[in-house]
Amino acid sequence: MLTAEFWVLVAFVAFMAIVWKVGGFKAMTGGLDSRAKRVRHELDEARRLREEAASVLDDYKRRRAQAEKEAEAIVAAARQEAERLNAEGQAKLADFVARRTKAAESKIAQAEVQAAAQVRAAAADAAVKVSEVILKERLQGDAAQNLVRSSLGDVKTRLSA
């Protein structure tokens, strides 16, 4: 029994008894317990951070979806406004063209009336001059001159009217 293994066993048991008496097992278990608490605390902190990150991600997704809806609403409103402005512009253009056409037609009609009046006046002047020349050749004297003047005045006033 005095073998080397026996003495190793005795030394080991004595060492364990001394460690137990000094409180080494309590220190080891306390160290392991404190490390376990620290690991548990780190795991809890990691879990809390993961939940917080998930909450932030959900909030971001919600805000993004809301921003996309707002952007779609803005685009739809802009399209409607553009269509309204286009229709309004078309209506204004059609009204402008109609007014310009009417004004041009009015000017044309006025020019026709004025041209007709000028033609009548020119015809009246020509008729008066021809009549004057014819009457001068056929009639002689002061009476003829007075008759020609009064007749020409009558012709002029009738043709002008």
Side-chain angles (χ1 to χ4, degrees), residues 5-157:
E5 287 88 13
F6 173 75
W7 289 110
V8 169
L9 178 66
V10 169
F12 180 72
V13 170
F15 175 73
M16 291 304 233
I18 291 171
V19 169
W20 180 69
K21 242 340 184 180
V22 174
F25 289 123
K26 286 185 182 179
M28 281 193 302
T29 57
L32 290 174
D33 286 344
S34 69
R35 180 162 183 194
K37 283 182 183 178
R38 189 178 61 215
V39 168
R40 191 175 302 120
H41 177 69
E42 287 176 1
L43 286 174
D44 290 343
E45 182 69 17
R47 188 175 298 119
R48 184 187 65 78
L49 289 175
R50 185 170 66 64
E51 289 173 358
E52 186 177 311
S55 172
V56 168
L57 179 62
D58 289 342
D59 185 48
Y60 168 75
K61 286 180 180 178
R62 183 182 49 79
R63 286 184 183 182
R64 180 176 165 225
Q66 185 179 8
E68 286 175 356
K69 285 180 184 177
E70 288 177 5
E72 288 174 5
I74 289 170
V75 168
R79 279 194 181 120
Q80 288 177 349
E81 182 69 14
E83 289 172 1
R84 184 187 65 78
L85 289 175
N86 185 23
E88 188 176 296
Q90 292 292 337
K92 284 183 179 180
L93 180 63
D95 182 49
F96 176 75
V97 168
R99 280 188 284 128
R100 285 294 197 177
T101 303
K102 195 171 190 178
E105 289 172 351
S106 172
K107 284 183 180 180
I108 290 171
Q110 186 179 16
E112 287 175 351
V113 168
Q114 188 176 12
Q118 287 175 349
V119 167
R120 271 190 250 138
D125 285 342
V128 167
K129 286 183 182 177
V130 168
S131 300
E132 186 176 339
V133 168
I134 291 173
L135 290 175
K136 278 186 183 180
E137 288 176 3
R138 290 190 184 171
L139 291 176
Q140 301 285 331
D142 286 334
Q145 289 293 334
N146 288 335
L147 179 65
V148 168
R149 283 189 193 129
S150 68
S151 296
L152 289 178
D154 287 344
V155 168
K156 234 184 194 182
T157 56

